[in-house]
């Protein structure tokens, strides 16, 4: 399943693309996922919870990042047990359904005046995952302010 979102902003598309290529900014600040561990500069593990009307689902994914001049692609391998937590910090899943398995990607592409973000996922609970991610992204009310604060802190 695929959903595309177009972002118009008062900031330059190059600046937005630069910020969205930073996994900590994109996943932790915008999508509210936690980066658990970096395997290398372009491969890392994320954990987050997505909600639907009737359930709360843990998402664990190994993410690989590919960067070009015109965009960023995050390739996700979603499966349970990817995130390794220290002893005593294991996740309590007694009231949650089994985490899904599947593959997906998040494509961020720059156009002349905007940024296109595409969420694509195939696997278990694909409709719930794609809709939750796109709704979470669309619900960011003050995206320009968040980008402005990040630009100031990074001197972009």
């Amino acid at each position: 399943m695929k959903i595309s979102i177009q972002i118009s902003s008062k900031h330059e598309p190059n600046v937005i693309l630069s910020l969205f290529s930073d996994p900590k900014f994109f996943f932790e600040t915008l999508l509210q996922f936690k980066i658990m561990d970096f395997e290398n500069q372009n491969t890392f593990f994320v954990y987050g919870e997505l909600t639907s009307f009737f359930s709360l689902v843990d998402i664990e994914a190994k993410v690989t990042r590919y960067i070009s001049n015109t965009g960023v692609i995050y390739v996700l391998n979603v499966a349970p047990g990817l995130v390794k937590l220290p002893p005593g910090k294991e996740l309590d899943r007694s009231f949650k359904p089994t985490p899904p398995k599947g593959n997906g990607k998040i494509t961020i592409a720059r156009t002349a005046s905007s940024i296109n973000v595409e969420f694509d996922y195939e696997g278990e609970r694909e409709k719930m995952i794609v809709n939750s991610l796109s709704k979470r992204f669309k619900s960011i009310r003050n995206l320009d302010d968040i980008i402005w604060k990040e630009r100031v802190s990074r001197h972009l």
Side-chain angles (χ1 to χ4, degrees):
M1 182 173 176
K2 221 183 261 194
I3 292 182
S4 294
I5 301 169
Q6 187 166 8
I7 302 169
S8 297
S9 175
K10 61 184 175 186
H11 299 283
E12 299 85 11
N14 287 341
V15 171
I16 296 171
L17 188 61
S18 171
L19 290 175
F20 283 21
S21 68
D22 176 11
K24 287 191 182 256
F25 179 77
F26 186 74
F27 282 97
E28 291 187 351
T29 304
L30 299 181
L31 293 181
Q32 300 164 358
F33 275 70
K34 177 94 173 120
I35 295 178
M36 303 303 288
D37 190 23
F38 276 88
E39 196 172 272
N40 60 45
Q41 182 181 354
N42 290 316
T43 305
F44 52 94
F45 296 89
V46 296
Y47 168 78
E49 294 178 336
L50 296 178
T51 57
S52 70
F53 287 116
F54 303 110
S55 66
L56 176 69
V57 177
D58 290 326
I59 302 294
E60 298 177 50
K62 181 177 182 179
V63 182
T64 305
R65 175 181 65 170
Y66 299 96
I67 302 173
S68 72
N69 292 337
T70 59
V72 180
I73 298 174
Y74 292 105
V75 177
L76 291 83
N77 178 12
V78 178
L82 290 174
V83 174
K84 307 295 183 228
L85 297 174
K89 301 280 185 180
E90 291 87 10
L91 302 172
D92 179 18
R93 291 194 171 104
S94 58
F95 64 95
K96 295 180 183 177
T98 306
K101 295 178 186 173
N103 295 303
K105 69 179 177 178
I106 301 171
T107 306
I108 304 161
R110 181 188 71 208
T111 62
S113 61
S114 65
I115 296 285
N116 293 325
V117 180
E118 181 179 274
F119 297 97
D120 184 9
Y121 177 77
E122 291 183 11
E124 299 171 352
R125 301 184 185 180
E126 67 184 54
K127 188 173 185 178
M128 181 258 197
I129 290 172
V130 172
N131 285 333
S132 294
L133 286 174
S134 66
K135 284 179 184 175
R136 190 176 278 187
F137 195 78
K138 288 177 187 176
S139 70
I140 301 170
R141 297 182 192 265
N142 54 352
L143 182 61
D144 278 337
D145 293 339
I146 293 169
I147 292 171
W148 180 254
K149 289 176 186 175
E150 197 67 24
R151 281 185 80 167
V152 169
S153 69
R154 295 180 188 209
H155 305 290
L156 293 176

CSV table of all heavy atoms in Angstrom, one decimal, residues 74-100:
chain,number,residue,atom,x,y,z
A,74,TYR,N,14.5,5.7,2.7
A,74,TYR,CA,14.6,4.8,3.9
A,74,TYR,C,14.0,3.5,3.6
A,74,TYR,O,12.8,3.4,3.4
A,74,TYR,CB,14.0,5.5,5.1
A,74,TYR,CG,14.7,6.7,5.6
A,74,TYR,CD1,14.1,8.0,5.4
A,74,TYR,CD2,15.9,6.7,6.3
A,74,TYR,CE1,14.7,9.1,5.9
A,74,TYR,CE2,16.5,7.8,6.8
A,74,TYR,CZ,15.9,9.1,6.5
A,74,TYR,OH,16.5,10.2,7.0
A,75,VAL,N,14.8,2.4,3.5
A,75,VAL,CA,14.2,1.1,3.3
A,75,VAL,C,14.1,0.4,4.6
A,75,VAL,O,15.0,0.4,5.4
A,75,VAL,CB,15.2,0.3,2.4
A,75,VAL,CG1,14.7,-1.1,2.2
A,75,VAL,CG2,15.3,1.0,1.0
A,76,LEU,N,12.9,-0.1,4.9
A,76,LEU,CA,12.5,-0.7,6.2
A,76,LEU,C,12.3,-2.2,6.1
A,76,LEU,O,11.6,-2.6,5.2
A,76,LEU,CB,11.3,-0.1,6.7
A,76,LEU,CG,11.3,1.4,7.2
A,76,LEU,CD1,11.1,2.3,6.0
A,76,LEU,CD2,10.2,1.6,8.2
A,77,ASN,N,13.0,-2.9,7.0
A,77,ASN,CA,12.7,-4.3,7.1
A,77,ASN,C,12.0,-4.5,8.5
A,77,ASN,O,12.7,-4.4,9.5
A,77,ASN,CB,14.0,-5.1,7.0
A,77,ASN,CG,13.8,-6.6,7.2
A,77,ASN,OD1,12.7,-7.1,7.2
A,77,ASN,ND2,14.9,-7.3,7.4
A,78,VAL,N,10.7,-4.7,8.5
A,78,VAL,CA,10.0,-4.7,9.7
A,78,VAL,C,9.8,-6.2,10.2
A,78,VAL,O,9.4,-7.0,9.4
A,78,VAL,CB,8.6,-4.1,9.5
A,78,VAL,CG1,7.7,-4.2,10.8
A,78,VAL,CG2,8.7,-2.7,9.1
A,79,ALA,N,10.2,-6.5,11.4
A,79,ALA,CA,10.0,-7.8,12.0
A,79,ALA,C,10.2,-7.8,13.5
A,79,ALA,O,10.8,-6.9,14.0
A,79,ALA,CB,11.1,-8.8,11.4
A,80,PRO,N,9.5,-8.7,14.2
A,80,PRO,CA,9.7,-8.7,15.7
A,80,PRO,C,11.1,-9.2,16.1
A,80,PRO,O,11.7,-10.0,15.4
A,80,PRO,CB,8.6,-9.7,16.1
A,80,PRO,CG,8.3,-10.5,14.9
A,80,PRO,CD,8.6,-9.7,13.7
A,81,GLY,N,11.5,-8.7,17.2
A,81,GLY,CA,12.8,-9.1,17.7
A,81,GLY,C,14.1,-8.5,17.2
A,81,GLY,O,15.2,-8.9,17.5
A,82,LEU,N,13.9,-7.4,16.4
A,82,LEU,CA,15.1,-6.8,15.8
A,82,LEU,C,15.8,-5.9,16.8
A,82,LEU,O,17.0,-5.7,16.8
A,82,LEU,CB,14.7,-5.9,14.6
A,82,LEU,CG,14.3,-6.7,13.3
A,82,LEU,CD1,13.8,-5.7,12.3
A,82,LEU,CD2,15.4,-7.5,12.8
A,83,VAL,N,15.0,-5.3,17.7
A,83,VAL,CA,15.6,-4.4,18.7
A,83,VAL,C,16.0,-5.2,19.9
A,83,VAL,O,15.2,-5.9,20.5
A,83,VAL,CB,14.5,-3.3,19.1
A,83,VAL,CG1,15.0,-2.4,20.2
A,83,VAL,CG2,14.1,-2.5,17.9
A,84,LYS,N,17.2,-5.0,20.3
A,84,LYS,CA,17.8,-5.7,21.4
A,84,LYS,C,17.9,-4.7,22.6
A,84,LYS,O,18.6,-3.7,22.5
A,84,LYS,CB,19.2,-6.2,21.1
A,84,LYS,CG,19.3,-7.1,19.9
A,84,LYS,CD,18.5,-8.4,20.0
A,84,LYS,CE,18.7,-9.2,18.8
A,84,LYS,NZ,17.5,-9.8,18.3
A,85,LEU,N,17.2,-5.0,23.6
A,85,LEU,CA,17.1,-4.2,24.8
A,85,LEU,C,18.0,-4.9,25.9
A,85,LEU,O,18.1,-6.1,26.0
A,85,LEU,CB,15.7,-4.0,25.3
A,85,LEU,CG,14.8,-3.2,24.3
A,85,LEU,CD1,13.4,-3.1,24.9
A,85,LEU,CD2,15.3,-1.8,24.1
A,86,PRO,N,18.5,-4.1,26.9
A,86,PRO,CA,19.3,-4.6,28.0
A,86,PRO,C,18.4,-5.5,28.9
A,86,PRO,O,17.1,-5.3,28.9
A,86,PRO,CB,19.8,-3.4,28.8
A,86,PRO,CG,19.3,-2.2,28.0
A,86,PRO,CD,18.5,-2.6,26.9
A,87,PRO,N,18.9,-6.5,29.6
A,87,PRO,CA,18.1,-7.3,30.5
A,87,PRO,C,17.3,-6.4,31.5
A,87,PRO,O,17.8,-5.5,32.0
A,87,PRO,CB,19.2,-8.2,31.2
A,87,PRO,CG,20.4,-8.1,30.4
A,87,PRO,CD,20.4,-6.8,29.6
A,88,GLY,N,16.1,-6.8,31.7
A,88,GLY,CA,15.2,-6.1,32.6
A,88,GLY,C,14.4,-5.0,31.9
A,88,GLY,O,13.5,-4.4,32.4
A,89,LYS,N,14.8,-4.7,30.7
A,89,LYS,CA,14.1,-3.6,29.9
A,89,LYS,C,13.3,-4.2,28.7
A,89,LYS,O,12.9,-3.5,27.9
A,89,LYS,CB,15.2,-2.6,29.3
A,89,LYS,CG,16.0,-1.9,30.4
A,89,LYS,CD,15.2,-0.8,31.0
A,89,LYS,CE,16.2,0.0,31.9
A,89,LYS,NZ,15.5,1.0,32.6
A,90,GLU,N,13.2,-5.5,28.7
A,90,GLU,CA,12.4,-6.1,27.6
A,90,GLU,C,11.0,-5.5,27.5
A,90,GLU,O,10.5,-5.1,28.5
A,90,GLU,CB,12.3,-7.7,27.8
A,90,GLU,CG,13.6,-8.4,27.6
A,90,GLU,CD,14.4,-8.4,28.9
A,90,GLU,OE1,13.9,-8.1,30.0
A,90,GLU,OE2,15.6,-8.8,28.9
A,91,LEU,N,10.5,-5.6,26.4
A,91,LEU,CA,9.1,-5.0,26.1
A,91,LEU,C,8.1,-6.0,26.7
A,91,LEU,O,8.1,-7.2,26.4
A,91,LEU,CB,8.9,-4.8,24.7
A,91,LEU,CG,9.9,-3.8,24.0
A,91,LEU,CD1,9.7,-3.8,22.5
A,91,LEU,CD2,9.8,-2.5,24.5
A,92,ASP,N,7.1,-5.4,27.4
A,92,ASP,CA,5.9,-6.2,27.9
A,92,ASP,C,4.9,-6.2,26.8
A,92,ASP,O,4.2,-5.2,26.5
A,92,ASP,CB,5.4,-5.6,29.2
A,92,ASP,CG,4.2,-6.4,29.7
A,92,ASP,OD1,4.0,-7.6,29.3
A,92,ASP,OD2,3.5,-5.9,30.5
A,93,ARG,N,4.7,-7.4,26.1
A,93,ARG,CA,3.8,-7.5,25.0
A,93,ARG,C,2.6,-8.3,25.4
A,93,ARG,O,1.9,-8.8,24.5
A,93,ARG,CB,4.5,-8.1,23.8
A,93,ARG,CG,5.5,-7.2,23.2
A,93,ARG,CD,5.9,-7.8,21.8
A,93,ARG,NE,6.7,-6.8,21.1
A,93,ARG,CZ,8.0,-6.9,21.0
A,93,ARG,NH1,8.6,-8.0,21.5
A,93,ARG,NH2,8.7,-6.0,20.4
A,94,SER,N,2.3,-8.5,26.7
A,94,SER,CA,1.2,-9.4,27.1
A,94,SER,C,-0.1,-8.9,26.7
A,94,SER,O,-1.0,-9.7,26.5
A,94,SER,CB,1.3,-9.5,28.6
A,94,SER,OG,1.2,-8.2,29.3
A,95,PHE,N,-0.3,-7.6,26.5
A,95,PHE,CA,-1.6,-7.0,26.1
A,95,PHE,C,-1.6,-6.6,24.6
A,95,PHE,O,-2.6,-6.0,24.2
A,95,PHE,CB,-2.0,-5.9,27.0
A,95,PHE,CG,-1.1,-4.7,26.9
A,95,PHE,CD1,-1.4,-3.6,26.1
A,95,PHE,CD2,0.1,-4.6,27.6
A,95,PHE,CE1,-0.6,-2.5,26.0
A,95,PHE,CE2,0.9,-3.5,27.6
A,95,PHE,CZ,0.6,-2.5,26.7
A,96,LYS,N,-0.5,-6.8,23.9
A,96,LYS,CA,-0.4,-6.3,22.5
A,96,LYS,C,-0.4,-7.5,21.6
A,96,LYS,O,0.0,-8.6,21.9
A,96,LYS,CB,0.9,-5.5,22.3
A,96,LYS,CG,1.0,-4.2,23.1
A,96,LYS,CD,2.3,-3.5,22.9
A,96,LYS,CE,2.4,-2.3,23.7
A,96,LYS,NZ,3.6,-1.6,23.5
A,97,PRO,N,-0.8,-7.2,20.3
A,97,PRO,CA,-0.8,-8.3,19.3
A,97,PRO,C,0.7,-8.5,18.9
A,97,PRO,O,1.6,-7.7,19.2
A,97,PRO,CB,-1.6,-7.7,18.2
A,97,PRO,CG,-1.6,-6.3,18.4
A,97,PRO,CD,-1.5,-6.0,19.8
A,98,THR,N,0.9,-9.6,18.2
A,98,THR,CA,2.2,-9.9,17.6
A,98,THR,C,2.7,-8.8,16.7
A,98,THR,O,1.9,-8.4,15.8
A,98,THR,CB,2.2,-11.3,16.9
A,98,THR,OG1,1.7,-12.2,17.8
A,98,THR,CG2,3.6,-11.7,16.4
A,99,PRO,N,3.9,-8.3,16.8
A,99,PRO,CA,4.4,-7.3,15.9
A,99,PRO,C,4.4,-7.8,14.5
A,99,PRO,O,4.7,-9.0,14.2
A,99,PRO,CB,5.9,-7.1,16.4
A,99,PRO,CG,5.9,-7.5,17.8
A,99,PRO,CD,4.9,-8.6,17.9
A,100,PRO,N,4.2,-6.9,13.5
A,100,PRO,CA,4.1,-7.4,12.1
A,100,PRO,C,5.4,-7.6,11.5
A,100,PRO,O,6.5,-7.2,12.0
A,100,PRO,CB,3.4,-6.2,11.5
A,100,PRO,CG,3.8,-5.0,12.3
A,100,PRO,CD,3.9,-5.5,13.7
